[in-house]
Amino acid sequence: MEKIAVIGGGAAGMMASIFAARRGMEVHVYEKNEKTGKKLYITGKGRCNLTNACDMEELLESVKSNKKFLYSAFYGFTNQDAYDFFEAEGLKLKVERGNRVFPMSDRSADVLDTLRRAMRSAGVQVHLNTEVKSVRKQEDGFTLQLADKTIEQADKVIVATGGISYESTGSTGDGYRFAESFGLKVTDCVPSLVPFNVKEDWVKELQGLSLKNVSIKILDGKKRLYEDFGEMMFTHFGVTGPLILTASSVCARKIREKQVKLILDLKPALSKEQLDARILREFDANANKQFRNVLPSFLPSKLVGVMYGLCGIEPEKRIHDITKEERERFLSCMKELELTVTGLRGYNEAII
């Protein structure tokens, strides 16, 4: 019987071990953590978004780089195959907005229990708190050296160690080291699906503010690197949220090289002319009021305090005293609020 060593007991290692064992192989999983599937606990905000129910071509189009490399893998074991596997193992699934697939229970733990049950049923042998330090090719198979100096033999090895994001879950780049030891070229890695650091201090005052229907542009000089619409959030260091994380998957390498501009449109449903007309109507109807009394009709309360400084209009100023230039600055802040992206957050905050 062939002996298979699976290095890494995350989602990929668990799935690989199940299918290898079901083919009659002796399978050993070596996991450095105290439990398998540690990173799965935090996927989908603890709910485990385990696949997507879109058609295969759409899935491939979502791959940001080198999608050809994944073509055979995607078709060899499709998203439908993944869906069918979990349902056959007794885990009920549901499809939500954006074709995202979650367990019906909304619990990552149930996905893990399903995988662990399938591993036990298939006869997979799991070695926890067991770190593989090196892998060497021998004439008759492979030699694995463990952290405690123990030597293990295997006919074949599956490396499923993950990347280098969320180091606390065990992803410390071991797979890249193993690859280099076999003479494989490893490209320069960057954090992705990761928040941005920004230069402007005023974002700290907006910490925790979430904006749901905004659009952003990422500019390198005049070159547009990215543009989209959606949800983002301010933090003490900069910006995050779905819109920002997706932008990072496109712009991460460029942002690592140099500062870029993030242009935020707070009112994307209105053109500049339409928003200006709305501002004028609001100003005309409240001509004798102070600016501070009118601004909340345009913005969330947390953003109101910051906007005074950004557009250079005193909060006590009467609406009828606001000049055309001041109104245009306010309009520009609403439609083209500029942030300077100085870099990416680290690997421990990066999803991939």
Side-chain angles (χ1 to χ4, degrees):
M1 182 188 292
E2 263 196 326
K3 180 179 177 181
I4 308 293
V6 180
I7 309 175
M14 295 169 87
M15 287 289 278
S17 72
I18 292 163
F19 284 91
R22 285 179 177 178
R23 293 187 179 188
M25 299 172 186
E26 180 189 337
V27 181
H28 293 256
V29 173
Y30 298 93
E31 169 54 52
K32 66 163 72 170
N33 288 317
E34 74 285 356
K35 58 188 173 186
T36 52
K38 201 167 181 180
K39 194 177 283 187
L40 271 177
Y41 278 111
I42 58 175
T43 60
K45 296 180 180 177
R47 297 170 58 216
C48 195
N49 175 199
L50 55 88
T51 189
N52 194 280
C54 65
D55 65 56
M56 189 54 63
E57 288 306 312
E58 186 179 343
L59 202 61
L60 279 163
E61 279 304 308
S62 298
V63 178
K64 299 301 178 185
S65 61
N66 202 10
K67 62 191 68 172
K68 287 182 180 178
F69 176 75
L70 289 170
Y71 192 89
S72 60
F74 275 27
Y75 277 99
F77 189 81
T78 68
N79 48 357
Q80 187 61 51
D81 291 332
Y83 192 107
D84 293 344
F85 166 81
F86 283 104
E87 289 238 308
E89 292 298 318
L91 183 68
K92 296 298 181 186
L93 305 177
K94 61 180 176 178
V95 180
E96 295 189 0
R97 179 174 52 85
N99 284 319
R100 293 172 302 160
V101 178
F102 291 93
M104 194 75 75
S105 64
D106 285 330
R107 285 165 38 92
S108 293
D110 291 343
V111 177
L112 276 165
D113 288 345
T114 302
L115 289 168
R116 289 167 180 160
R117 228 176 12 250
M119 290 168 75
R120 285 195 299 270
S121 176
V124 175
Q125 298 178 55
V126 180
H127 308 269
L128 300 175
N129 298 303
T130 305
E131 182 179 357
V132 176
K133 299 299 285 186
S134 67
V135 184
R136 298 189 186 283
K137 180 77 175 78
Q138 309 293 344
E139 283 186 21
D140 56 348
F142 295 86
T143 298
L144 285 69
Q145 183 179 336
L146 308 185
D148 65 359
K149 308 298 184 185
T150 303
I151 301 296
E152 295 285 347
Q153 304 292 331
D155 297 299
K156 291 177 181 174
V157 173
I158 296 172
V159 178
T161 52
I164 45 178
S165 63
Y166 283 109
E167 187 174 309
S168 58
T169 64
S171 299
T172 52
D174 298 343
Y176 300 123
R177 187 164 46 81
F178 296 152
E180 287 178 325
S181 74
F182 279 89
L184 295 170
K185 182 183 176 183
V186 177
T187 57
D188 185 35
C189 295
V190 295
S192 190
L193 297 184
V194 66
F196 293 160
N197 290 316
V198 303
K199 182 178 181 180
E200 289 72 16
D201 284 336
W202 52 261
V203 300
K204 295 173 185 174
E205 298 176 48
L206 302 179
Q207 182 177 350
L209 174 63
S210 182
L211 302 174
K212 288 200 171 176
N213 297 304
V214 296
S215 67
I216 64 167
K217 286 185 286 193
I218 309 287
L219 302 178
D220 176 17
K222 292 184 178 180
K223 184 179 179 183
R224 188 172 302 182
L225 302 176
Y226 179 83
E227 184 173 11
D228 206 355
F229 170 90
E231 182 179 349
M232 61 166 281
M233 186 172 77
F234 290 98
T235 70
H236 65 284
F237 57 77
V239 286
T240 187
L243 198 52
I244 302 302
L245 300 186
T246 305
S248 76
S249 69
V250 177
C251 309
R253 291 186 185 278
K254 181 61 70 176
I255 291 169
R256 217 180 190 195
E257 294 169 5
K258 62 190 295 191
Q259 293 185 359
V260 298
K261 293 294 182 184
L262 187 157
I263 310 300
L264 173 60
D265 185 348
L266 296 166
K267 301 289 181 183
L270 300 174
S271 68
K272 211 165 185 179
E273 294 72 23
Q274 289 171 328
L275 182 56
D276 195 27
R278 187 194 156 190
I279 293 170
L280 281 168
R281 285 197 303 273
E282 202 74 29
F283 280 12
D284 287 343
N286 299 278
N288 293 317
K289 290 184 178 180
Q290 293 180 332
F291 187 48
R292 65 168 14 140
N293 296 322
V294 177
L295 198 50
S297 64
F298 293 98
L299 296 167
S301 58
K302 212 165 190 177
L303 193 49
V304 167
V306 169
M307 186 57 73
Y308 300 132
L310 293 176
C311 66
I313 303 175
E314 291 297 323
E316 294 81 13
K317 192 164 191 177
R318 299 285 174 183
I319 294 296
H320 59 65
D321 291 330
I322 292 176
T323 66
K324 180 184 177 184
E325 289 73 21
E326 287 174 325
R327 191 190 82 242
E328 287 176 346
R329 284 204 305 271
F330 174 48
L331 173 64
S332 182
C333 285
M334 296 273 280
K335 292 294 290 180
E336 298 169 343
L337 185 57
E338 187 174 294
L339 291 159
T340 307
V341 180
T342 57
L344 306 164
R345 299 297 284 177
Y347 283 111
N348 220 34
E349 293 180 48
I351 294 172
I352 58 173

